[in-house]
Amino acid sequence: MSPLARLMQLAVRGYQLFLSPYVGWQCRYQPTCSAYMMEALAKHGALKGGWIGFKRIMRCHPWGGHGYDPVPGCGCERKEAPPDRDPRSSALSSYR
């Protein structure tokens, strides 16, 4: 990780420790915006990760979205499970 990304993460961590307790627990997304920014910086670096985190913070308002919103490209997106492949089911369904 670049020194600039580490410096930005240090600023976010400072926010988490000193300002977040006074702002309140009103985040509409999961993970929280600060955790999202930390992950974006770790995965994508200072410029791209900072931009992705900034866009997320701009979406976090009362008229914005809510719910689960992972960092793009981190490999943690929810995927539908593949259908259960039971070899007995095809054998039994063809038997009449």
Side-chain angles (χ1 to χ4, degrees), residues 11-90:
V12 173
R13 187 67 183 140
Y15 163 79
Q16 288 176 333
L17 291 174
F18 299 112
L19 294 177
S20 181
Y22 300 107
V23 174
W25 300 98
Q26 301 172 2
C27 194
R28 303 175 57 80
Y29 290 105
Q30 184 65 321
T32 63
C33 292
S34 59
Y36 185 94
M37 177 68 92
M38 295 284 278
E39 188 174 347
L41 290 169
K43 297 285 181 184
H44 299 288
L47 293 178
K48 186 175 180 183
W51 177 247
I52 291 170
F54 175 76
K55 289 191 315 184
R56 162 67 179 274
I57 291 169
M58 292 295 105
R59 287 194 316 259
C60 193
H61 53 78
W63 302 279
H66 64 280
Y68 180 66
D69 181 28
V71 174
C74 73
C76 57
E77 291 85 7
R78 291 185 183 175
K79 295 181 181 175
E80 191 172 311
D84 188 22
R85 291 287 184 150
D86 188 5
R88 296 177 294 165
S89 63
S90 62

